[in-house]
Amino acid sequence: MITARPRGTADILPEEAAGWRYVEDTFRTICREYCYEEIRPPIFEHTELFERGVGDTTDIVEKEMYTFRDKGDRSITLRPELTAPVVRAYLENNLNAGPQPVKLYYTGPMFRYDKPQAGRFRQFHQLGAEVLGSPLPAVDAELIAMIMKFYGRLGLKGLELHINSVGCPRCRSDLRERLQQFLDPRLSSLCSNCRGRFLRNPLRILDCKEKECADISSGAPTTLDCLCPDCESHFSSVKGYLDRLGIAYQVDSRLVRGLDYYTNTAFEVMSRDIGAQSSIGGGGRYDGLIEAVGGQPTPGVGFALGVERILLTMKGQGIELPGRDRPDVFVVNADPDTEREAFEILFALRKGGLSADKDYLGRSMKAQMKYAGKTGCRFVVILGGNELKRGAAGVKDMASGAQVEMTLNELAGQIKKKMYGGE
RNA sequence: GUGGAUGUAGCUCAGGUGGUUAGAGUACCAGAUUGUGGCUCUGGGGGCCGUGGGUUCGAGUCCCAUCAUCCACCCCA
């Protein structure tokens, strides 16, 4: 072998790919029901889009981006998330000039240079949605409802929905001041990481997991203590919609999203079944982002869900996923001299609307039968010299073992009747 | 980026204190069955023992380094 796959990547083999397809299809169906349309931005973007659109004090931009210079000496970055690219596409294609709001969804790979562990990869996959152009709290609630509906449809149980409001820039500068006042005398007890955050981004100290920091900040003012009347009313309105839909949540004032342009609502869904990387989806409102990327001030909300973590949770909860596809029919020919006829009949079956395969290794009849059994096919069509002369073939039901004779020109129709048509 | 555990057939794993041609189960292929899968039996192919150094008469086994995987911290999906 020349080389192994790069660290933190995975080969999704046919068996698992079926489960992926199922999860993605379920998501697409929900998106259609909620009237979100698909968008497919590129896999890579100019680096400055993420520097400005994600925030250059975030871990993503500081140390996790796959960045390189292309042959035209442009700085290019493999997308670590898709909110900023979607906003860029919205502006670049003048979607802001059409009917508002614009409701979009996406699926696909993202790239972050992290150290891999359970539920964390360097290439991972997200399902996401964004609503651009509406400031109303009902949209926040719709997105959250959509996520919970999706998880429910997959059969996931016992998930925790955490929500919080981080307010607007005015609330945050208020909080920032109060936090710094509160923390200043205790600064020496904080972890080194948080001492660094004290000036740059004190909000992040709130969700530091170090015991010392958590103890100290447990008495600190939180985002909710500093909401202005507008933000306060936005937050209670979101909660009201969720209550009305019967969606359970817990308010978590320590939930602070790492991205710089988040405003008001922040939410995260946690799974207990997949180890330390317990977040299987999250999102929030980002009314400051579009302006930061260069557009007119425009409100936005969105979420992203991790496909790998969803699949891990499903596995952990013992939820069955579809396996690989099985052929309807496998053509076995008993006599090597009739291989041409077998080939023709194979294509006739396919033309008749069945998924069909045959042996391509010139195997003995017994070996063909054995192989047919391994493909999991529902029927085997057996071609022998004697029946062929009469224009007929044997059709064996692999589950029951029962075999009947059918004329060649009605093979596909008769088999379909056996599959779908009662008897 | 920091720390811990683990690397032996495709897969799951054996291989006391270094000592001949490195084993099992399973999977794969073939035969037993001259035109019929699953069960059973028999046989067969398949190993740079993660990689590179070192110690030794001799290393799968001991030492060092390196890479990879898993797990945790950090962060997030």
Side-chain angles (χ1 to χ4, degrees):
Chain A
M1 215 184 342
I2 297 171
T3 181
R5 67 175 187 273
R7 188 157 202 209
T9 64
D11 296 312
I12 300 155
L13 301 173
E15 179 123 8
E16 303 143 272
W20 280 69
R21 224 153 46 228
Y22 168 72
V23 168
E24 287 164 358
D25 289 348
T26 303
F27 182 69
R28 286 174 190 282
T29 301
I30 300 241
C31 288
R32 215 171 299 126
E33 288 169 15
Y34 283 65
C35 300
Y36 287 69
E37 295 183 288
E38 184 172 15
I39 183 168
R40 299 190 183 213
I43 299 285
F44 55 86
E45 298 270 0
H46 292 293
T47 301
E48 52 264 40
L49 174 65
F50 300 114
E51 287 170 348
R52 298 189 50 198
V54 175
D56 43 21
T57 67
T58 59
D59 280 8
I60 291 179
V61 172
E62 279 184 345
K63 49 190 195 191
E64 295 174 1
M65 294 205 300
Y66 273 95
T67 297
F68 59 95
R69 299 208 88 86
D70 71 8
K71 296 191 180 193
D73 204 32
R74 290 171 279 258
S75 180
I76 296 294
T77 294
L78 301 183
R79 61 193 197 188
E81 57 99 53
L82 219 35
T83 301
V86 166
V87 166
R88 194 224 79 231
Y90 170 84
L91 295 172
E92 184 163 348
N93 299 287
N94 299 316
L95 301 186
N96 54 349
Q100 303 295 302
V102 174
K103 299 169 65 174
L104 301 167
Y105 79 88
Y106 58 79
T107 72
M110 310 294 158
F111 306 85
R112 291 183 200 171
Y113 191 86
D114 267 10
K115 187 154 169 183
Q117 69 181 74
R120 193 168 75 187
F121 309 91
R122 289 184 173 176
Q123 176 176 335
F124 62 101
H125 298 76
Q126 288 187 334
L127 311 170
E130 314 284 347
V131 178
L132 303 172
S134 169
L136 298 185
V139 179
D140 309 31
E142 170 171 295
L143 285 161
I144 293 170
M146 188 170 160
I147 297 175
M148 299 317 279
K149 169 65 81 180
F150 169 62
Y151 289 143
R153 216 171 270 186
L154 292 177
L156 295 174
K157 300 216 165 64
L159 302 177
E160 290 174 18
L161 169 62
H162 294 219
I163 66 171
N164 189 27
S165 174
V166 298
C168 60
R170 267 182 302 134
C171 310
R172 269 216 297 278
S173 66
D174 183 20
L175 172 63
R176 194 189 165 95
E177 235 168 75
R178 286 170 63 174
L179 251 184
Q180 283 171 335
Q181 255 171 35
F182 176 87
L183 292 171
D184 201 16
R186 303 157 228 245
L187 197 50
S188 56
S189 316
L190 293 173
C191 72
S192 62
N193 226 324
C194 284
R195 283 201 295 275
R197 287 166 175 156
F198 179 76
L199 286 177
R200 297 168 59 205
N201 197 348
L203 299 203
R204 293 276 299 285
I205 296 172
L206 286 179
D207 67 350
C208 181
K209 273 86 183 174
E210 293 286 330
K211 287 177 209 85
E212 301 275 311
C213 302
D215 288 347
I216 289 170
S217 67
S218 67
T222 69
T223 56
L224 294 179
D225 297 324
C226 304
L227 293 185
C228 65
D230 283 352
C231 291
E232 176 67 52
S233 111
H234 185 98
F235 189 47
S236 63
S237 180
V238 171
K239 288 186 290 185
Y241 284 116
L242 293 178
D243 291 337
R244 200 160 311 187
L245 291 171
I247 293 171
Y249 57 85
Q250 49 201 85
V251 174
D252 179 357
S253 62
R254 316 176 76 71
L255 175 59
V256 179
R257 309 235 90 217
L259 314 182
D260 289 353
Y261 300 102
Y262 275 90
T263 56
N264 287 296
T265 317
F267 51 89
E268 196 160 336
V269 182
M270 321 283 268
S271 162
R272 292 177 172 174
D273 301 294
I274 55 173
Q277 306 303 314
S278 58
S279 169
I280 63 170
R285 183 163 274 284
Y286 45 83
D287 291 345
L289 173 60
I290 295 170
E291 199 176 354
V293 172
Q296 294 298 308
T298 307
V301 217
F303 66 74
L305 317 178
V307 179
E308 286 86 352
R309 292 183 187 177
I310 289 170
L311 288 164
L312 270 176
T313 306
M314 292 178 78
K315 192 177 282 181
Q317 298 190 0
I319 297 169
E320 293 258 349
L321 283 162
R324 57 204 305 184
D325 290 340
R326 306 176 185 296
D328 297 325
V329 191
F330 193 91
V331 178
V332 165
N333 67 310
D335 181 350
D337 294 339
T338 61
E339 204 274 336
R340 301 259 161 93
E341 285 85 341
F343 198 64
E344 275 172 32
I345 288 165
L346 171 67
F347 277 76
L349 288 165
R350 289 171 176 166
K351 194 177 175 192
L354 294 164
S355 68
D357 208 353
K358 75 180 280 295
D359 167 69
Y360 282 115
L361 284 176
R363 284 186 262 226
S364 72
M365 180 184 180
K366 183 179 175 65
Q368 290 178 56
M369 283 302 296
K370 212 168 166 180
Y371 179 70
K374 279 175 201 147
T375 67
C377 64
R378 300 185 59 180
F379 296 96
V380 167
V381 168
I382 300 164
L383 305 178
N386 299 335
E387 293 94 326
L388 265 186
K389 276 177 207 152
R390 295 202 303 277
V395 174
K396 181 166 185 169
D397 182 324
M398 292 298 271
S400 67
Q403 185 169 330
V404 296
E405 191 170 304
M406 291 182 185
T407 55
L408 289 180
N409 53 23
E410 57 185 11
L411 261 185
Q414 290 292 320
I415 290 172
K416 275 202 274 190
K417 198 180 274 181
K418 276 171 97 74
M419 285 176 63
Y420 309 116
E423 31 192 325

